[in-house]
Amino acid sequence: MMRKLLFYFLLSVSALLLFFPILYALSASFMEPHEIYAGKLLPSSISFDAYKEVFESIPLMHYLMVSFWMSFIVMIGQLIVSSLSAFAFVFIPFKGRDLIFYLFLATMLIPWEATIIPNFLTILNLGWVNTYQGLTVPFFALPFGIFLLRQHFLTIPKELWESAQMDGCSRFRFYWRFALPLSKSSLSALGIYGFLTTWNMYLWPLLVTDSDKVRPVQIGLKMLIANESSSSWNLVMAAVISILLPTLLLLFIGLKWIREGLTAGAVKG
């Protein structure tokens, strides 16, 4: 019994340490600036003035919508490209299939920073600066997503594929009617992963945009911090909580799908 109590105590302490920055940011968003500078941990009174002021000082809602659409487009693009590629690697035999797949995996070893200049030059030549295409299309092909779905597709019984072929089922119909419905957990995990990573993106949008019309919320937060009128850290913390809230909700709601999706293809392949 004592061992179990000690275990839960250590878990509680670890969780508190892990979430302390978020909890403090939430608390500081309700404080007055002088309370933050005084080092207080809890506000003397609860006030939502900081949230109201931060939405009035910068177009935060517009930045949130840009981030949402950018993340949603990348998520859909990654699901389509990754699922089609993984299906081809598993169910369509062609020469050099394994070699091409390993080359895809090898690209995961290349630092993303090493591809910034070639990708930027490509976007520049296509005229996609300050567009959603420039923000999203370079991230549609995700080697991790292809690997994840390929490993799951390998668990689909070959007998099901052979029976479908004997009944005259086309490859695309099998992909749409069988492969995708049987891969909901992996697709959900990949979708949540793609959405969250795109939502937190900062450097690439900073390079390919110079207009507030298509700039995401991470750049908006940096502009708020750099603004001379934003020396009040309660405004910054209110903006941080507003940005974190959608991602935390998505993470908590989809945590089960992420766990199932990441372990779904671990039994074969």
Side-chain angles (χ1 to χ4, degrees):
M1 184 65 180
M2 289 298 298
R3 225 172 134 186
K4 194 172 184 181
L5 288 175
L6 178 62
F7 177 71
Y8 281 111
F9 173 76
L10 293 176
L11 283 180
S12 301
V13 172
S14 301
L16 181 61
L17 292 175
L18 182 64
F19 282 98
F20 178 77
I22 298 176
L23 295 175
Y24 179 74
L26 178 62
S27 177
S29 67
F30 297 115
M31 295 183 189
E32 295 296 330
H34 65 85
E35 293 179 317
I36 298 177
Y37 295 134
K40 293 185 177 181
L41 295 179
L42 296 174
S44 57
S45 61
I46 301 297
S47 174
F48 291 91
D49 292 340
Y51 289 89
K52 181 180 178 181
E53 188 174 347
V54 77
F55 276 91
E56 292 175 350
S57 60
I58 62 171
L60 187 59
M61 182 57 68
H62 172 72
Y63 291 140
L64 287 170
M65 292 305 299
V66 171
S67 288
F68 173 80
W69 285 114
M70 183 180 74
S71 303
F72 181 77
I73 293 171
V74 170
M75 178 185 71
I76 297 300
Q78 288 181 352
L79 289 176
I80 294 174
V81 173
S82 298
S83 61
L84 288 173
S85 302
F87 183 84
F89 282 128
V90 174
F91 293 104
I92 302 178
F94 56 90
K95 189 175 181 180
R97 181 175 65 176
D98 292 339
L99 176 61
I100 296 175
F101 174 70
Y102 292 136
L103 288 176
F104 264 98
L105 289 186
T107 61
M108 297 175 65
L109 302 176
I110 302 174
W112 182 78
E113 291 77 8
T115 65
I116 289 180
I117 294 178
N119 283 335
F120 177 75
L121 292 176
T122 302
I123 296 301
L124 188 64
N125 292 330
L126 291 173
W128 284 359
V129 176
N130 288 322
T131 63
Y132 279 103
Q133 301 96 294
L135 287 169
T136 59
V137 172
F139 302 97
F140 282 3
L142 183 66
F144 169 74
I146 297 173
F147 169 76
L148 178 67
L149 293 180
R150 175 187 176 272
Q151 295 306 107
H152 183 77
F153 287 164
L154 286 172
T155 65
I156 297 177
K158 291 294 182 181
E159 293 79 8
L160 181 62
W161 166 244
E162 293 171 356
S163 300
Q165 283 186 308
M166 292 178 62
D167 291 338
C169 182
S170 65
R171 286 171 176 166
F172 182 79
R173 187 177 180 184
F174 182 85
Y175 159 82
W176 185 257
R177 293 293 182 90
F178 294 93
L180 293 186
L182 292 173
S183 308
K184 290 181 180 179
S185 58
S186 296
L187 291 171
S188 300
L190 178 60
I192 295 172
Y193 172 82
F195 189 95
L196 293 178
T197 53
T198 307
W199 182 277
N200 294 319
M201 201 178 296
Y202 174 76
L203 181 57
W204 179 253
L206 186 65
L207 288 174
V208 299
T209 62
D210 55 23
S211 171
D212 289 343
K213 292 183 178 180
V214 288
R215 280 193 158 174
V217 73
Q218 304 299 336
I219 298 179
L221 178 61
K222 181 62 177 178
M223 292 171 60
L224 175 66
I225 297 175
N227 195 328
E228 293 181 2
S229 63
S230 66
S231 57
S232 300
W233 283 99
N234 58 335
L235 300 183
V236 177
M237 294 304 174
V240 169
I241 293 299
S242 300
I243 295 170
L244 277 178
L245 190 58
T247 58
L248 288 177
L249 289 176
L250 180 63
L251 184 61
F252 287 140
I253 293 173
L255 191 59
K256 179 181 178 182
W257 293 335
I258 293 176
R259 184 175 62 252
E260 292 179 355
L262 293 178
T263 58
V267 297
K268 187 177 180 180

